[in-house]
Amino acid sequence: MHSIAVKVFNCVCEFGHQFEGWFDSVESLDEQIKAHLVACPYCDTTNVKRVPTASYVLASRDKAKTQISEKELEAEIRSKMYTAARKLLKGSENVGERFAQEARAVHQGKAPIRTIHGRCTLEDAEELLDEGINVLPLPEGVVHENN
């Protein structure tokens, strides 16, 4: 089993919810907070900050609690990515299979500027990127019918 050591940090959101975050370093936590990638587990806001954490030494029997497997870490990262992607989708318009055409129309000023999402082929996405149109491919399962 592969594992990595993580540090536990105390965080608080703008609404006063306190929670712990497990990160590999204080720098990693601060970068993720700045990029709004850390969300409160109670209210899902990304307006959070790190609060002072009392130092403590783990007893050897507790060290396993601060180590998680790569598989668990990947699952946690995937979960956070899906949450972030769903936040991007909030308030966006689902244009379905017309995504490539609608993205071009918005980019060219032929359609109202707004955030859209939909489906297109990999080739369509590559063409949009080549044309300077920013698109973000999302994995299956991120978009729900209510997005």
Side-chain angles (χ1 to χ4, degrees), residues 13-77:
C13 79
E14 65 184 313
F15 301 109
H17 300 127
Q18 296 181 7
F19 59 97
E20 289 183 343
W22 292 24
F23 297 87
D24 60 345
S25 69
V26 70
E27 294 82 13
S28 176
L29 169 60
D30 289 343
E31 288 172 11
Q32 291 182 49
I33 286 174
K34 185 176 180 182
H36 296 281
L37 297 175
V38 179
C40 173
Y42 302 103
C43 64
D44 214 28
T45 182
T46 58
N47 189 5
V48 301
K49 65 181 179 180
R50 178 173 48 92
V51 294
T53 304
S55 298
Y56 59 91
V57 177
L58 292 175
S60 60
R61 69 181 183 281
D62 293 335
K63 285 187 179 175
K65 294 179 185 175
T66 63
Q67 300 214 355
I68 59 174
S69 70
E70 284 184 32
K71 188 174 184 178
E72 291 170 318
L73 181 60
E74 287 174 8
E76 179 70 18
I77 291 170

Side-chain angles (χ1 to χ4, degrees), residues 99-100 104 120-137:
F99 178 78
R104 281 188 182 94
C120 69
T121 65
L122 179 59
E123 292 79 20
D124 284 338
E126 289 172 346
E127 287 175 10
L128 291 169
L129 289 168
D130 288 343
E131 294 170 30
I133 302 170
N134 293 324
V135 296
L136 176 65

Side-chain angles (χ1 to χ4, degrees), residues 79-94:
S79 172
K80 296 288 185 192
M81 287 175 43
Y82 276 38
T83 298
R86 287 186 181 117
K87 283 183 182 183
L88 287 172
L89 292 170
K90 277 188 181 176
S92 69
E93 180 183 340
N94 186 347

